[in-house]
Amino acid sequence: MAKTAAFGVMHVCTAFGVSYALSGSVTVAGAVTLVEPLVNMVAHYFFDRAWERHFAHAPAPGEAAPQP
């Protein structure tokens, strides 16, 4: 758990640093640092749904495809 928390802190610091370097604004960097993970969570939810829908009928590796 400690490694996961440390990675989370590193990710937030990296996002802030990159955003600040690109914008030169603490306000913009802070907003990007807070908004990006929220948008990413929503995008990931829809990505997972699309992934499951696409591969729901795909055969597992080594299995024969179903015949019509």
Side-chain angles (χ1 to χ4, degrees), residues 2-67:
K3 183 178 178 183
T4 300
F7 181 79
V9 170
M10 182 193 71
H11 177 79
V12 167
C13 291
T14 301
F16 183 85
V18 170
S19 300
Y20 181 73
L22 292 173
S23 70
S25 168
V26 171
T27 303
V28 170
V32 169
T33 300
L34 294 176
V35 171
E36 184 270 338
L38 298 174
V39 172
N40 204 12
M41 284 189 298
V42 172
H44 190 268
Y45 171 77
F46 288 108
F47 173 82
D48 275 347
R49 288 186 61 182
W51 185 273
E52 289 300 320
R53 193 167 38 252
H54 179 73
F55 289 107
H57 304 302
E63 289 184 356
Q67 299 298 320

